[in-house]
Amino acid sequence: MKNSVLHTADSRGHANHGWLNAYHSFSFANWYNPERVQFGMLRVLNDDTVAAGMGFGEHGHDNMEIITIPLKGDLAHKDSMGNAETIRTGDVQVMSAGTGIRHSEFNPNHDQETKLFQIWLFPKLRNVEPRYQQITLDTTEQKNAFAQILSPNPDDAGVWIHQDAWFYLSDFEADFSKKLALKKEGNGFYIINIEGEIEVNGERLGKRDAIGIWDTNEIEIKANKNSKFLVMEIPMEQ
């Protein structure tokens, strides 16, 4: 496919620390691939499994938009802004790190692991005041639809960030297909298939396969079997 890049699940970086089993779509920590540093303003897409009762100690971030989407289980969050929240499957959380923030994240359950996507985008504004937002999604809206979970607009559906990006979570039944148009000219799409099997403009994606597409105004996604996936519309340039 012209103007696209395929990232199969088995091409990702992998680090198993025991308490954390992490797959990296883009260069992260000790895994570096010069061809996999970012997709436009999308810098990090980590597919993490956190063992029961374990987690990330307090650490810092700045000038990054950080989105966390639990896929299974819960994640307890504490930060230097005074937030102490638990995000659960069906929630989405965002932190605008801005001038600097410190936080910790851990699996509060002692009988099950937590699976999540953590996503970092470069912001369009630097050194903003740090902020935190968390919402619970209506997952029924994802059925055979592109349910918007993130945008640049505080009054729009989902959480908002300091970047011209839009995220959608979808749950398609087998043989269902639908087109999605760009919100902003010049952006690209990055799609990761969570479960099942889909075709994006005819390119097949199995579980955790991903594809980036640019220089297009719309995409068409078809489910070959019951599937869940995340679509990210991302600025290709700052």
Side-chain angles (χ1 to χ4, degrees):
M1 189 191 304
K2 194 175 181 181
N3 299 325
S4 68
V5 60
L6 179 66
H7 292 159
T8 58
D10 62 4
S11 72
R12 298 177 297 174
H14 181 220
N16 191 341
H17 304 284
W19 67 273
L20 172 68
N21 190 14
Y23 289 88
H24 312 306
S25 293
F26 302 99
S27 296
F28 190 84
N30 293 327
W31 184 67
Y32 177 73
N33 180 336
E35 296 180 355
R36 297 277 287 270
V37 174
Q38 65 193 85
F39 178 81
M41 295 297 101
L42 173 61
R43 175 61 188 88
V44 168
L45 171 52
N46 287 347
D47 181 2
D48 292 342
T49 300
V50 183
M54 303 300 287
F56 304 88
E58 185 178 281
H59 57 284
H61 299 282
D62 64 73
N63 288 312
M64 196 67 73
E65 301 292 306
I66 300 170
I67 302 100
T68 302
I69 303 173
L71 304 174
K72 175 187 174 184
D74 312 317
L75 195 69
H77 165 98
K78 290 184 179 180
D79 65 42
S80 53
M81 293 181 287
N83 298 296
E85 305 286 348
T86 298
I87 52 174
R88 310 182 190 282
T89 306
D91 292 350
V92 59
Q93 175 212 69
V94 63
M95 288 193 308
S96 297
T99 53
I101 188 172
R102 296 189 66 79
H103 74 133
S104 63
E105 304 158 290
F106 70 96
N107 179 355
N109 303 308
H110 294 278
D111 58 351
Q112 67 171 341
E113 62 190 15
T114 294
K115 293 180 178 290
L116 61 110
F117 283 159
Q118 186 162 101
I119 300 163
W120 299 4
L121 269 68
F122 292 111
K124 64 179 180 181
L125 298 173
R126 290 182 59 83
N127 298 323
V128 299
E129 182 180 353
R131 59 176 291 272
Y132 177 93
Q133 185 185 9
Q134 172 185 337
I135 63 169
T136 298
L137 304 170
D138 180 354
T139 56
T140 62
E141 295 179 352
Q142 300 169 19
K143 194 74 169 180
N144 292 335
F146 296 109
Q148 183 177 296
I149 66 165
L150 176 147
S151 80
N153 307 310
D155 298 327
D156 214 345
V159 295
W160 70 274
I161 64 170
H162 296 283
Q163 187 51 275
D164 294 326
W166 287 262
F167 286 13
Y168 308 88
L169 274 172
S170 298
D171 184 355
F172 278 16
E173 294 177 307
D175 298 322
F176 182 81
S177 67
K178 191 174 179 69
K179 292 182 179 180
L180 178 66
L182 272 184
K183 291 278 193 181
K184 184 175 181 182
E185 185 177 357
N187 282 3
F189 289 107
Y190 195 86
I191 303 101
I192 183 165
N193 190 33
I194 299 170
E195 296 282 350
E197 181 183 297
I198 60 175
E199 291 182 16
V200 182
N201 291 0
E203 183 76 57
R204 189 193 71 82
L205 300 184
K207 180 178 178 179
R208 298 303 206 269
D209 290 343
I211 191 169
I213 301 172
W214 62 97
D215 290 342
T216 186
N217 292 321
E218 69 174 15
I219 53 172
E220 182 171 11
I221 299 181
K222 176 181 181 292
N224 292 336
K225 54 181 76 171
N226 292 348
S227 302
K228 297 177 186 294
F229 54 91
L230 173 66
V231 179
M232 295 172 274
E233 178 182 327
I234 305 288
M236 299 305 294
E237 297 179 353
Q238 190 62 280

